Amino acid sequence: MSASGLTHPHAVSPSLNRAWLTPLELGGLAAIWGTSFLFMRIAAPAFGPLPLVELRLALGAAVLMPFLWRARSALRPGLWPRLALVGFINAAVPFALFAWAARRAPAGVGAITNSMAVLFTALVAFLFYGERIGPRRVVALLAGFAGVVVLASGKAAGESVAQAAAAGTTAAFLYGIGTNMVRRHLAGLPAAAVAAATLACAALLTLPFAVATWPARPIGAGPWLAAAALGMLCTGFGYAMYYRLIQRIGAARAVVVTYLVPLFAVAWAWLLLGEPLTSSMFVAGTLILGSVALGQQPAAPKGT
C-alpha cells in the first residue's frame, strides 16, 4: 500500500523529545500495512475484487471522515472533480488490481511490487513534469524493474505469478501518478482530509460495479472480518497514523515505512497462512527494496 501521494511534504514537527517513538511507530505502521496483503488473500476469494475494494474504500473513508469534517471549508466545490480523479487513480483502481492479484499469488508478491511506488513517483515526475531524475535514480529504476522481472518469472505452488506481479506493478505506477497529481493540484490542503475525500469519491465511483459483481453465495465470518480490518485498520487508521508521522518527522523520513511493509507482509503470510518465501520473491524483494533505498539517498554535495 502507498499513501505517499497524500502527504504534506513540508510539515515537520519541532518536538524532538519524542524521537524515540519514531522507530516504534514506523514498525507498527509497517506491521499494519503488511497485514493488508494478508487480509486481501483471505477476503478476495470470497468477495471478489470490486466488492472487497468497495468495502475497503467506504470503511477507510468513514474512519477518516472526522478529518474531512474539520477541514470541510478548505475543500471548495471546484476541487471535487480533482479529488474524484485522484481517488480513481490513487485508490479505486490500484486497490482493485491488488485485490485481483491477491486471488492469484502469495501476499508477498503484491507487497513487493507495491514498493515500486516510490520509484514510479520519481519516474512520472521526470516524464510528465520535467523534474530531474539524476543518475542514482536511473540506476535505482533499472534495478527495480529487474526485480519485477525476477518476481514475474517465479512460481507459487507450481503456478506462475506473472499476472499478479504485472497487476501489482501497474498499481504501483498508478500510485506514482496519483502522488504527483496530489503534489501539484492539491498542495496546501490538509492531507488527512484529502485522503478522506479521495477515498469517499473512489467508493462512490466503485459502488455500481461492486453491486453488479456482489457474490451470490453467502460470505463467511472470516472474510467479513478480514474486509473490515482491511478498511478500518489498514486503510483508515493506517493512513491517519501515517499523517501523524509526517507531521512529526516529515515525509522524507516517514516514507521509510515503504521498505518495511514487504518484510511484514511476507512474515504475516508465512506465519498465519503458511505461504513460503520463494527464491524469486527473495531476489526480487532484495532488488526492489535496495533500489528504493538507493533512490531515496540524497545526492552528494558538489565538490565532495
Side-chain angles (χ1 to χ4, degrees):
M1 169 182 303
S2 171
S4 58
L6 303 174
T7 65
H8 205 313
H10 303 297
V12 183
S13 170
S15 61
L16 299 177
N17 57 341
R18 299 169 63 194
W20 61 272
L21 278 175
T22 299
L24 296 178
E25 291 184 339
L26 285 171
L29 179 58
I32 289 171
W33 276 351
T35 61
S36 65
F37 298 93
L38 168 73
F39 292 140
M40 282 190 283
R41 284 287 282 169
I42 295 171
F47 283 97
L50 294 176
L52 177 60
V53 168
E54 176 61 27
L55 289 171
R56 178 181 185 179
L57 292 167
L59 292 172
V63 171
L64 293 172
M65 200 55 64
F67 297 99
L68 178 58
W69 178 254
R70 286 204 296 265
R72 61 191 184 279
S73 60
L75 301 183
R76 60 186 186 276
L79 285 175
W80 284 95
R82 291 182 185 178
L83 292 166
L85 181 60
V86 170
F88 179 75
I89 292 175
N90 206 51
V93 179
F95 286 3
L97 287 169
F98 279 123
W100 182 88
R103 303 174 72 182
R104 292 163 173 80
V109 172
I112 291 168
T113 54
N114 178 73
S115 299
M116 287 289 292
V118 176
L119 296 177
F120 280 134
T121 298
L123 179 61
V124 170
F126 169 72
L127 292 176
F128 300 107
Y129 295 98
E131 288 191 11
R132 183 177 177 274
I133 195 168
R136 189 192 299 271
R137 283 189 172 174
V138 170
V139 172
L141 281 165
L142 292 174
F145 291 136
V148 171
V149 171
V150 171
L151 186 64
S153 67
K155 293 185 177 182
E159 299 291 331
S160 172
V161 300
Q163 290 182 325
T169 304
T170 303
F173 182 69
L174 290 172
Y175 282 148
I177 295 174
T179 296
N180 281 279
M181 291 178 64
V182 171
R183 286 178 179 175
R184 285 157 180 81
H185 303 298
L186 299 173
L189 298 172
V194 169
T198 55
L199 289 175
C201 289
L204 290 174
L205 292 170
T206 307
L207 182 59
F209 304 99
V211 171
T213 58
W214 193 268
R217 296 180 182 179
I219 299 170
W224 273 109
L225 289 173
L230 180 63
M232 292 188 289
L233 177 66
C234 301
T235 307
F237 180 75
Y239 276 15
M241 189 175 178
Y242 187 59
Y243 304 140
R244 178 183 170 182
L245 268 169
I246 289 166
Q247 290 171 354
R248 197 161 58 78
I249 65 175
R253 292 179 63 195
V255 80
V256 170
V257 73
T258 305
Y259 315 148
L260 304 176
V261 170
L263 306 180
F264 279 99
V266 171
W268 288 128
W270 170 76
L271 183 64
L272 299 176
L273 298 180
E275 294 182 352
L277 173 64
T278 64
S279 57
S280 61
M281 287 168 61
F282 177 79
V283 174
T286 301
L287 283 169
I288 292 174
L289 293 179
S291 68
V292 171
L294 176 65
Q296 288 297 110
Q297 292 294 320
K302 292 182 179 180
T304 61

